[in-house]
Amino acid sequence: MADHQEASVTLPSDPASVSTARRYVAQVLGEWGLPDDAATADSVRLIVSELATNAVQHTFGQSPTFTVDIRLEREEWLRIGVTDSHPRWPKRLPAAVQQDNGRGMVIIRWLTAEAGGRLSVSPTEDGGKTVWIALPWTVGAAARTATTGC
């Protein structure tokens, strides 16, 4: 496998694009060796769904598209970023019991931390932002352990 792999897709800021983003990421990660039934795959699908939903719902029509970038670095770190052109950065909203939404960033942070990863936000040149998650890539490590017995 290459030292660094990348994939990217740009989609319209439309609710239907959330499932497209999720399927695209699942397909790419499957091609890179992550089994569809792995616990990490479930977490990544949920994280991508939440990030894409935020890019659609919280940009108030000011970002006509969003982009999902996937990077696998040295078979050690999986990085997924969702970029939109809206200048407002995500905020953790107080989630009252009766609220139907507002918990996306809490879910993303929790799933990322549970997997030993981290979350960050970086500005883009056009005034928008990219919300990144970085997760340890355990697929190659599991294969190496199985073949070396360590």
Side-chain angles (χ1 to χ4, degrees), residues 9-21 52 55-56 59 63-67:
V9 64
T10 298
L11 300 165
S13 288
D14 180 271
S17 295
V18 173
S19 61
T20 303
V56 170
T59 59
S63 183
T65 63
F66 68 94
T67 301

Side-chain angles (χ1 to χ4, degrees), residues 81-140:
V82 175
T83 303
D84 64 62
S85 58
H86 192 278
R88 190 178 77 173
W89 286 30
K91 294 179 183 175
R92 188 181 308 181
L93 301 175
V97 175
Q98 56 273 61
Q99 275 187 306
D100 290 334
N101 59 20
R103 296 182 184 93
M105 289 306 296
V106 172
I107 293 168
I108 293 164
R109 287 179 194 280
W110 188 84
L111 288 170
T112 301
E114 181 183 62
R118 58 189 176 274
L119 180 136
S120 62
V121 183
S122 59
T124 61
E125 289 181 13
D126 69 353
K129 79 277 187 189
T130 303
V131 181
W132 289 100
I133 57 128
L135 302 174
W137 182 255
T138 57
V139 173

Side-chain angles (χ1 to χ4, degrees), residues 36-101:
D36 193 49
D37 60 351
T40 302
D42 288 339
S43 294
V44 168
R45 282 191 293 269
L46 182 52
I47 289 168
V48 169
S49 290
E50 292 295 334
L51 289 174
T53 297
N54 286 351
V56 170
Q57 288 186 344
H58 300 295
T59 59
F60 306 105
Q62 294 180 23
S63 183
T65 63
F66 68 94
T67 301
V68 180
D69 292 299
I70 313 163
R71 300 177 184 165
L72 182 56
E73 299 172 356
R74 287 178 265 136
E75 290 190 51
E76 295 173 1
W77 285 97
L78 171 65
R79 298 185 194 282
I80 299 175
V82 175
T83 303
D84 64 62
S85 58
H86 192 278
R88 190 178 77 173
W89 286 30
K91 294 179 183 175
R92 188 181 308 181
L93 301 175
V97 175
Q98 56 273 61
Q99 275 187 306
D100 290 334
N101 59 20

